[in-house]
Amino acid sequence: MAKVLKKRPKPSIAYLFIAPWIIGFIAFTAFPLLYSLYLSFHKVSLTTEGIKTNYVSFENFQYAFTVDGVFMNYLIVFFRELLISVPIIIVFSLIIALLLNQKIRLRGLFRTIFFLPVIIASGPVLKELQDMGVTTIPSIEEVFIYSLASDNADQFIFGILLYVLDNIIMILWYSGVQILIFLAVLQKIDRQIYEAAMIDGASTWEIFWKVTLPSIFPMIVVNTIYTIVAYSIFSLNPIIEHIKVQMFELDTGFGYASALSWVYFVIIGLILILVFVIMNSQSKKRYAS
Amino acid sequence: MNKLMTKRKNIETARMKRWFIGVKGNDGLLIRTLIYGLLIGIGFVYLFPVIYMVSFSFKSLEDLLNPLVNWIPSTLHLENFKQAYQVLDFFPTLFQTLYVTILPALAQTAVAALVGYGFARFSFRLKNFLFVLVMVTFIIPPQVTLIPRYLVYSELNLLGNIQAFLLPATFGQGLNSAIFILIFYQFFRSIPKTLEEAALLDGAGHFRIFFTIAIPMAVPAIIISFLFSFVWYWNETYLAAIFFGDQLTTLPLELQKFAASYQRMFPAGMEESASQLNEGIRLAGTVLSILPLLIVYFITQKWFVEGVDRSGITGE
């Protein structure tokens, strides 16, 4: 017995297992992060002798927010699209997951279809489809636009609807992973809870709000975070394209691109923290038991 | 007596209602039709671009211009595919794509298994802190680390080399590495401790246990990780374009510059109108570039679907 106890996992061996990650984290994540922060305060030029840096204080950041109108513009557009798309993706994938969670035939086939975009939707493929105008269903769009235009609806809401219709397939195509995550968690909810609720006379509608939603709430948070991250680093995103262009621009270069990437990183980080805090406090307020 | 009658009557109506509308929303005819209708409708919207792509890729110029030809081309026009095949330089590009996706995916899977095992089976100082750190790396946009990596690679002459992808993957910093570590972490946590203790009692070392007991049990997790990693590396064009430059190329990258390559290969005005780039040829190129992924997906789709199930983010 004593021998077994002695042979219990020794911490030093554990470090051997995770050592590759720690080395990689320092070399490929932590160091680049700090280095790009350092570069963002410099003017960087590549010379034959190597990299040359000149300290320019906050000039790069100043330039980003005052002179580089394109960047600011992209940021605003990105923020607006995020605000519209993320809730739609979450609600939509939850609805699909709920549908798939019913006792239906061909569930496997439907899952295969809904997950397909995750496999094939790389930036260039979506770009081709966008160019051909295949990211929207033409007939649906026409019907909606005509009925809306005749309604002389609010310009703001009209704009949102138009964006959604224009990109309906793009938005749907972003939902593959989220649908499967919701479906997985829905299937883990104990059937007995539903039965108990039904015996107590709860309706399907009540059960959804009082049983299903609270039990999948953590996954709504996870999916929201996943969606924001996936959306912000997708290769068709104009901001990251802008960063790439600035990298190889002579009068701005790596220093300025680093500053942009850091601004972007901080903004995404703030959005994620905000979303996390709001959703968490909501869940505590509503589902505290 | 009367009470009993009304009760029975109530049960009768309830049964009728159940048959038609259903109780839990899944038994009734009405609801069921609605569910299938919705699923088929949404499924069509999902597949619309793919159907469009395949249909148009077979259309000749006449078909494209003819408003009467809608979904089904009048002839199977294979010329589009022939040209797209040449423009993409299909097989050489495919082999390069496989080269720069399979190797990083393998490295990424191997290291995720190792690290996931370390987190799942041992307790050590800073474990929680380190694990949170692993998860945090998921939200760091690759653009932030891109520039320093680019500069260092260019110093080390690694640009245009597969090492630009392979090195970070080997050290657990590849595309979405955090997710793969999480998958293995969840998987290895579910293996009973007694197995490990028995092996320890027999005098096996921890690495031996890892290789002879844990890895053979983890085959499903390995397949899932590899497949996801493969697809994500395949579809990665932003980093690939910067790191690989002109040295290496992938099918998605070739698709990105399809129009330009086409103009170079079939200059306008040289021959008859057949040499104009049209929608059909571009979509044939798109179809060709996703065809290998489609084949992989239809063989292995169960693993993808299960993968999300097993990723462990839904908790146990």
Side-chain angles (χ1 to χ4, degrees):
Chain A
M1 218 33 219
K3 208 179 165 195
V4 182
L5 283 179
K6 238 190 231 166
K7 277 215 156 189
R8 271 281 151 88
K10 276 176 284 176
S12 51
I13 289 175
Y15 289 120
L16 276 182
F17 276 94
I18 59 168
W21 185 85
I22 294 178
I23 296 168
F25 177 76
I26 293 167
F28 293 104
T29 301
F31 163 70
L33 266 183
L34 294 176
Y35 191 43
S36 79
L37 187 62
Y38 168 83
L39 289 180
S40 66
F41 291 101
H42 291 75
K43 175 124 187 90
V44 184
S45 44
L46 282 182
T47 60
T48 40
E49 298 117 66
I51 308 153
K52 257 190 164 168
T53 54
N54 272 333
Y55 182 67
V56 292
S57 174
F58 283 94
E59 216 168 83
N60 284 329
F61 293 95
Q62 235 166 23
Y63 187 84
F65 285 110
T66 53
V67 185
D68 192 354
V70 180
F71 180 64
M72 282 313 286
N73 194 21
Y74 283 156
L75 266 185
I76 293 166
V77 171
F78 165 75
F79 195 67
R80 203 173 57 201
E81 286 184 3
L82 202 66
L83 219 57
I84 300 169
S85 305
V86 172
I88 293 177
I89 292 172
I90 299 298
V91 171
F92 176 80
S93 49
L94 181 56
I95 291 173
I96 298 231
L98 285 168
L99 289 175
L100 287 176
N101 195 36
Q102 308 299 319
K103 288 186 203 127
I104 55 158
R105 274 159 223 260
L106 300 176
R107 179 190 292 159
L109 176 72
F110 283 120
R111 279 197 310 200
T112 308
I113 292 173
F114 295 141
F115 199 68
L116 179 67
V118 180
I119 310 291
I120 59 172
S122 65
V125 171
L126 277 185
K127 188 92 198 13
E128 285 291 305
L129 293 174
Q130 251 179 348
D131 287 354
M132 315 259 163
V134 203
T135 46
T136 177
I137 306 265
S139 45
I140 298 183
E141 199 182 357
E142 274 162 33
V143 171
F144 266 97
I145 288 176
Y146 287 132
S147 63
L148 276 172
S150 58
D151 267 4
N152 59 33
D154 192 345
Q155 206 56 38
F156 178 68
I157 296 172
F158 184 72
I160 292 178
L161 271 173
L162 204 61
Y163 167 78
V164 171
L165 285 171
D166 266 345
N167 296 283
I168 185 77
I169 289 177
M170 295 270 276
I171 292 174
L172 298 192
W173 273 27
Y174 275 115
S175 322
V177 172
Q178 291 87 325
I179 292 172
L180 291 191
I181 290 177
F182 276 140
L183 190 58
V185 72
L186 280 174
Q187 292 186 331
K188 280 194 185 120
I189 300 176
D190 195 348
R191 287 265 143 217
Q192 286 177 352
I193 303 176
Y194 287 118
E195 278 158 26
M198 256 154 38
I199 288 168
D200 287 345
S203 70
T204 315
W205 184 247
E206 281 171 318
I207 290 176
F208 172 74
W209 288 103
K210 299 258 163 73
V211 179
T212 313
L213 208 56
S215 34
I216 63 169
F217 196 79
M219 283 310 110
I220 297 181
V221 179
V222 166
N223 269 340
T224 307
I225 291 173
Y226 176 85
T227 311
I228 293 172
V229 170
Y231 207 90
S232 56
I233 63 173
F234 192 66
S235 64
L236 287 188
N237 185 329
I239 299 176
I240 68 171
E241 194 55 39
H242 186 65
I243 293 174
K244 184 172 161 182
V245 171
Q246 297 301 323
M247 260 174 88
F248 301 104
E249 201 74 38
L250 270 182
D251 54 334
T252 46
F254 293 99
Y256 182 59
S258 300
L260 290 186
S261 68
W262 260 92
V263 170
Y264 191 45
F265 178 34
V266 168
I267 288 174
I268 295 170
L270 286 178
I271 293 174
L272 287 173
I273 291 169
L274 199 70
V275 165
F276 190 74
V277 168
I278 290 175
M279 290 184 99
N280 251 3
S281 66
Q282 278 294 314
S283 80
K284 263 182 207 137
K285 205 159 53 183
R286 221 178 280 171
Y287 306 126
S289 50
Chain B
M1 225 33 197
N2 209 355
K3 243 181 198 169
L4 204 68
M5 285 290 281
T6 31
K7 205 171 182 184
R8 188 165 291 166
K9 212 175 170 189
N10 278 346
I11 291 171
E12 276 296 302
T13 41
R15 192 173 292 157
M16 284 293 290
K17 205 175 142 193
R18 189 176 306 164
W19 181 78
F20 195 61
I21 302 176
V23 258
K24 269 189 281 175
N26 55 13
D27 297 321
L29 188 67
L30 187 72
I31 301 284
R32 202 186 281 198
T33 319
L34 192 70
I35 289 174
Y36 279 110
L38 274 173
L39 281 176
I40 291 169
I42 297 167
F44 171 72
V45 176
Y46 258 83
L47 287 183
F48 175 78
V50 182
I51 300 169
Y52 183 96
M53 204 167 13
V54 174
S55 154
F56 274 61
S57 64
F58 283 108
K59 281 187 179 177
S60 61
L61 194 62
E62 291 81 60
D63 279 359
L64 286 171
L65 297 175
N66 185 351
L68 292 175
V69 179
N70 217 347
W71 284 103
I72 300 160
S74 60
T75 52
L76 273 189
H77 187 69
L78 293 173
E79 186 62 23
N80 291 342
F81 281 95
K82 231 170 95 189
Q83 290 194 349
Y85 176 91
Q86 286 175 337
V87 173
L88 289 175
D89 195 10
F90 187 73
F91 276 105
T93 311
L94 175 66
F95 289 132
Q96 280 191 52
T97 316
L98 290 175
Y99 171 65
V100 298
T101 48
I102 288 180
L103 287 182
L106 281 177
Q108 165 135 299
T109 305
V111 79
L114 198 68
V115 175
Y117 188 83
F119 277 114
R121 306 303 285 189
F122 302 100
S123 55
F124 47 90
R125 238 157 23 107
L126 295 177
K127 175 174 159 173
N128 290 338
F129 169 74
L130 284 173
F131 197 67
V132 169
L133 213 56
V134 172
M135 292 302 116
V136 167
T137 57
F138 177 68
I139 64 158
I140 298 174
Q143 286 73 38
V144 190
T145 52
L146 165 76
I147 293 162
R149 283 188 193 181
Y150 180 87
L151 292 175
V152 172
Y153 289 157
S154 86
E155 291 285 285
L156 298 174
N157 270 329
L158 291 179
L159 290 175
N161 189 316
I162 189 182
Q163 295 298 341
F165 267 13
L166 198 52
L167 270 179
T170 314
F171 289 96
Q173 313 293 318
L175 294 176
N176 297 332
S177 274
I179 293 181
F180 301 114
I181 293 173
L182 185 65
I183 291 177
F184 279 104
Y185 171 76
Q186 292 288 354
F187 191 88
F188 286 130
R189 255 187 4 162
S190 65
I191 298 178
K193 272 248 187 265
T194 43
L195 258 180
E196 194 181 310
E197 273 158 16
L200 279 175
L201 209 59
D202 287 346
H206 284 285
F207 278 96
R208 204 157 148 223
I209 293 173
F210 176 70
F211 283 114
T212 55
I213 298 176
I215 287 294
M217 287 177 86
V219 169
I222 292 171
I223 296 175
I224 289 164
S225 291
F226 174 75
L227 287 175
F228 268 94
S229 191
F230 172 77
V231 166
W232 277 331
Y233 267 108
W234 182 293
N235 284 331
E236 171 52 58
T237 51
Y238 183 84
L239 298 177
I242 291 177
F243 286 151
F244 291 155
D246 301 326
Q247 312 276 323
L248 281 168
T249 188
T250 67
L251 280 174
L253 282 178
E254 285 301 309
L255 181 66
Q256 206 163 32
K257 34 187 195 203
F258 191 82
S261 313
Y262 186 90
Q263 302 302 353
R264 219 176 322 117
M265 203 169 265
F266 305 100
M270 286 284 283
E271 289 162 64
E272 66 290 20
S273 63
S275 71
Q276 283 299 324
L277 179 57
N278 62 41
E279 213 181 1
I281 300 169
R282 282 177 67 175
L283 284 173
T286 315
V287 170
L288 275 182
S289 82
I290 61 171
L291 195 63
L293 283 180
L294 282 180
I295 294 170
V296 169
Y297 182 54
F298 282 109
I299 298 169
T300 59
Q301 43 99 1
K302 259 214 168 71
W303 291 103
F304 281 101
V305 175
E306 271 174 35
V308 179
D309 247 328
R310 291 200 195 209
S311 62
I313 33 181
T314 51
E316 289 314 315

